[in-house]
Amino acid sequence: MLELLREVGVELPGGAGLLKFGMTPGEVLELLPPDRVTHHRQCMGLTLDQYAELRHAHDAWLGGLLFEPDWSFDAELGGVVLGFGGGGPGATDRLARVEIQARAQADGPESTPVAWDDIDLFGYPAAEIAAVLPGIPSPGGPPPAEMAVDELGLRLSRATPTAEHWERVTLVGPGSGGWGACCAGGLVCAEQGDGLVGIMY
């Protein structure tokens, strides 16, 4: 099980260790099995200085679209993929964002549970999870395809509002304060920014 710990990080399965906010890329890599790590080259992402507006860069950072050279790797553990991000302008060398994406494998083993307070965020229907998270008003229907829970530093998303389960969760740590020049809240820019600006036309 991957255990999400508010303002701390992510407890890896099988006693592999704790990914703590504030770690350097090298420290994160030391905890990950080398054969499960994939290093990436820049492709569909822009670097911070290529965004005309900081709010767009922040939104891209939240969505894992901003290219950060030190963090250009991910790791697949037990059917889920972990992505990593630094803390924004002036703090890119310290872990501040962990993104976990479910990888559907019809012929493979079930994904490792991703737990928040013992709630499997990928295992239960999205509507049931949304109903127990703090600060989320009851929508009177299925929850939207993307939802930010500022109080917990969580962002949940799935391909469409009709998909039964959440497919991606992003945990933002206290080290994301490097984005302070963009906006006061860690998840606010997602409501007004557009992380695809400059990437896709």
Side-chain angles (χ1 to χ4, degrees), residues 7-32:
E7 296 186 354
V8 177
V10 178
E11 184 74 41
L12 297 174
L18 176 64
L19 286 172
K20 293 185 285 190
F21 291 121
M23 280 183 158
T24 65
E27 290 170 335
V28 170
L29 285 168
E30 285 180 9
L31 286 179
L32 302 172

Side-chain angles (χ1 to χ4, degrees), residues 20-118:
K20 293 185 285 190
F21 291 121
M23 280 183 158
T24 65
E27 290 170 335
V28 170
L29 285 168
E30 285 180 9
L31 286 179
L32 302 172
D35 63 333
R36 308 307 298 164
V37 174
T38 302
H39 293 268
H40 300 280
R41 297 173 61 188
Q42 183 175 1
C43 179
M44 289 292 285
L46 295 180
T47 58
L48 179 62
D49 60 0
Q50 291 173 299
Y51 281 93
E53 295 185 50
L54 193 56
R55 66 191 179 102
H56 295 300
H58 185 185
D59 198 53
W61 178 81
L62 282 168
L65 297 174
L66 179 67
F67 181 74
E68 297 178 285
D70 290 342
W71 298 102
S72 59
F73 60 87
D74 57 34
E76 183 171 350
L77 300 174
V80 296
V81 178
L82 281 74
F84 312 95
T92 57
D93 61 333
R94 300 289 169 172
L95 182 65
R97 176 184 59 79
V98 180
E99 178 184 285
I100 304 158
Q101 186 165 349
R103 171 136 322 158
Q105 296 178 336
D107 56 350
E110 291 186 10
S111 293
T112 296
V114 176
W116 177 271
D117 282 346
D118 295 324

Side-chain angles (χ1 to χ4, degrees), residues 120-130 142-145 157-168:
D120 182 358
L121 297 176
F122 293 155
Y124 290 96
E128 290 183 20
I129 292 171
S157 62
R158 59 198 198 278
T160 65
T162 56
E164 185 179 1
H165 296 89
W166 297 112
E167 298 164 341
R168 177 167 38 189

